[in-house]
Amino acid sequence: MKIGILGGGQLGRMLIQEALKYDDEFYTLDPALDAPCSSISHFTQGNFNDYETVLEFGKGKDVVTIEIEHVNADALAELENQGVKVVPNSKIIKTIQQKILQKEFYQANNISSPEFEIMDGSSDEIKMDFPFVQKLNTGGYDGKGVQVIRNAEDLKNLWIADSVLEKLVDIDKELSVIVAINENGETKTFPVTEMVADPKLNLLDFNICPVNLSKEIENQIEAITSQFLAVVDSPGLFAIELFLDKEGKVWVNETAPRLHNSGHQSQEGNANSQFEQMYRVVKNLPLADTDALMYSGMLNLVGAEGYTGQVVYEGMDDVLKLPKTYIHLYGKTVTKPGRKMGHINVLADSREELMEKLIQVKAMVKVIA
Ligand code: ADP
């Protein structure tokens, strides 16, 4: 099968890497000539936000999928009209691309998500109580386009742009659950993972699995995932990012309609990885089992502050000496502060051992130039 992927980043790279054990041909589209997928697939340099470019790229493919959601969804809709299979479909990509539509989707479908108000262009009519979180309707990623407005004084920082104003949740834990649904309607859910963010870079730092949750909290998550899968109306693999608040209530923060950083530990930690699952979704194959094999965790390898240039991974030999520790690099040659260059997965027999190993590994490695 000819499988086209919009985006040629690390998510696409790891999907292709996993799927090479089967017999398919992968095509990728990315603006960067040296994108992580460029050397391992049929590569087209081009803008996945451009209508004509996406239309042209999709022609002759059996399936087109995405590894980034900021793509031209109108072109995907046109490809669907022309009989090209698009996974996930253009409708759900459009809904998720815009924070306002995404929030309305949760509201309309009784999926627990923080109370919100829509702001369209002016701050005059805000009814939301302080503190709240402003999220730009489009264009936000990795924590950019999100800010907390704590009081009337903060209002001067408000972005005058279409956005969602959302109640600030008193967060106890940030959790993620990856779900998959194929065209036949078969569904599978990965065990919940917990994210520990680096407050400075706002990028995911550690991601661990499984998470010890009460039956009551598990039931709330199960209600969210089953309702999401019941109404999503598209095949796909989706990462549902959750907040657990200090009162034990679970809320959906947002959903990514694609492979996700919070699922990387599944490469060695689960019976099958999110990448294997994505491949099966794209091909409408029976879905893979997702059981956690042990405690597993992931830490991102991000470019250190103060270094830009040809990347050097300091301390990797020491990491390679550790048991049940796995390095994944993304084929990026140039590092800059905060750039995701790779990740390391670690397995352990207990949560305590896992946290110790992750902290040990984090102290060992540095991404410099
Ligand atoms: P992005 O799409 O950039 O990842 P998110 O919507 O996930 O943006 O927000 C980034 C971070 O901001 C979240 O991981 C969380 O820590 C914080 N955040 C977002 N929404 C809320 C909220 N309603 N209450 C409290 N914190 C929030």
Side-chain angles (χ1 to χ4, degrees), residues 99 114 133 135 140-144 146 166-169 171 174 202 241 243 253-254:
K99 281 252 155 82
V133 182
K135 301 181 172 186
Y141 66 95
D142 281 344
K144 296 183 192 89
V146 176
E166 191 178 80
K167 194 171 158 39
L168 184 80
V169 176
I171 299 173
E174 295 205 31
N202 237 330
E241 295 180 41
F243 297 137
N253 170 26
E254 60 174 359

Side-chain angles (χ1 to χ4, degrees), residues 54-160:
V54 171
L55 206 57
E56 191 54 36
F57 175 78
K59 280 189 184 143
K61 305 294 183 295
D62 298 297
V63 194
V64 172
T65 186
I66 58 170
E67 61 107 54
I68 180 166
E69 61 271 35
H70 302 294
V71 297
N72 193 302
D74 289 332
L76 290 176
E78 177 54 25
L79 285 170
E80 284 164 349
N81 286 338
Q82 295 179 8
V84 177
K85 201 194 275 187
V86 177
V87 177
N89 66 30
S90 61
K91 184 160 166 257
I92 191 70
I93 293 174
K94 262 193 188 176
T95 302
I96 287 177
Q97 276 177 340
Q98 302 183 44
K99 281 252 155 82
I100 294 173
L101 292 180
Q102 196 184 139
K103 290 291 288 187
E104 288 173 343
F105 171 80
Y106 301 134
Q107 193 175 47
N109 291 297
N110 292 314
I111 293 171
S112 156
S113 184
E115 193 190 309
F116 73 104
E117 177 178 312
I118 295 166
M119 175 177 144
D120 51 3
S122 115
S123 62
D124 300 344
E125 304 250 310
I126 294 174
K127 291 188 232 49
M128 199 79 188
D129 290 334
F130 300 116
F132 61 79
V133 182
Q134 180 182 25
K135 301 181 172 186
L136 290 181
N137 187 38
T138 55
Y141 66 95
D142 281 344
K144 296 183 192 89
V146 176
Q147 67 170 337
V148 179
I149 303 290
R150 297 204 169 270
N151 46 45
E153 185 160 321
D154 278 357
L155 281 176
K156 66 179 185 303
N157 301 328
L158 204 73
W159 298 310
I160 303 303

